[in-house]
């Protein structure tokens, strides 16, 4: 549950930061772009959110 919550929170927060900066959020000049890529990678590495939800529901 912690992995799912952490990866989704990181993805949402970085997405919001990119949206706040607009087009500059995608520029490599700002660290937000790197954070967004890292957060997306963590979502994929930990397993997709759907799979994690399935695992959690089976264990309950």
């Amino acid at each position: 549950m912690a992995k799912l919550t952490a990866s989704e929170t990181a993805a949402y927060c970085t997405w919001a930061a990119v949206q706040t900066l607009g087009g500059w959020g995608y520029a490599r000049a700002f660290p937000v772009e790197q954070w967004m890529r890292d957060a997306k990678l963590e979502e994929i590495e930990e397993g997709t959110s759907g799979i994690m939800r399935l695992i959690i529901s089976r264990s309950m």
Side-chain angles (χ1 to χ4, degrees):
M1 284 189 233
K3 289 195 304 189
L4 175 64
T5 303
S7 65
E8 285 190 344
T9 301
Y12 177 76
C13 291
T14 56
W15 173 81
V18 168
Q19 292 298 312
T20 301
L21 292 173
W24 290 106
Y26 292 102
R28 290 191 183 256
F30 292 96
V32 174
E33 185 265 341
Q34 177 69 41
W35 299 337
M36 180 74 169
R37 285 189 287 136
D38 290 346
K40 198 63 175 166
L41 181 63
E42 285 300 318
E43 271 189 325
I44 294 168
E45 278 182 353
E46 300 297 331
T48 61
S49 296
I51 299 297
M52 292 301 291
R53 283 190 179 92
L54 183 65
I55 292 169
I56 292 167
S57 66
R58 285 184 182 169
S59 67
M60 291 183 134

